[in-house]
Amino acid sequence: AGAARSARLPLARVKALVKADPDVSLASQEAVFVLARAAELFVETIAKDAYVYAQQGKRKTLQRKDLDNAIEAVDEFAFLE
């Protein structure tokens, strides 16, 4: 239970999203937690990369173009293009 509390995304919402997939019939709490943590790390990583572009534009607020620039520049984000 201690590990579940360290997740920042609501696990019930993540589980609902997982179960919305017609190919998924069951999802263990551990699987839901791992998916939630992976999503958190993904959002953190892309936000940090996008913030570099916001700083280059002398801004503190991320804009869509900052995310687009990060997606274009980082090979790992190519699946988002």
Side-chain angles (χ1 to χ4, degrees), residues 6-18:
S6 68
R8 291 180 219 132
L9 292 175
L11 296 181
R13 179 69 53 95
V14 174
K15 186 168 190 162
L17 289 169
V18 169

Side-chain angles (χ1 to χ4, degrees), residues 63-75:
Q63 295 178 357
R64 170 67 190 255
K65 62 185 174 184
D66 302 320
L67 288 167
D68 290 342
N69 287 334
I71 289 167
E72 224 175 87
V74 180
D75 288 344

Side-chain angles (χ1 to χ4, degrees), residues 1 3-4 15-16 27 29-32 39 47 50 52 55-56 61-63 65 70 72-73 76 79:
K15 186 168 190 162
Q29 276 302 109
E30 291 86 1
V32 170
V52 171
Q55 286 180 314
Q56 288 174 1
T61 304
L62 289 183
Q63 295 178 357
K65 62 185 174 184
E72 224 175 87
E76 286 79 10
F79 72 98

Side-chain angles (χ1 to χ4, degrees), residues 3-4 11 13 19-20 27-28 31 34 37 40 42 52 58 61 79:
L11 296 181
R13 179 69 53 95
K19 293 191 115 194
S28 70
V34 169
R37 190 66 186 118
E40 291 166 6
F42 171 75
V52 171
K58 308 277 192 258
T61 304
F79 72 98

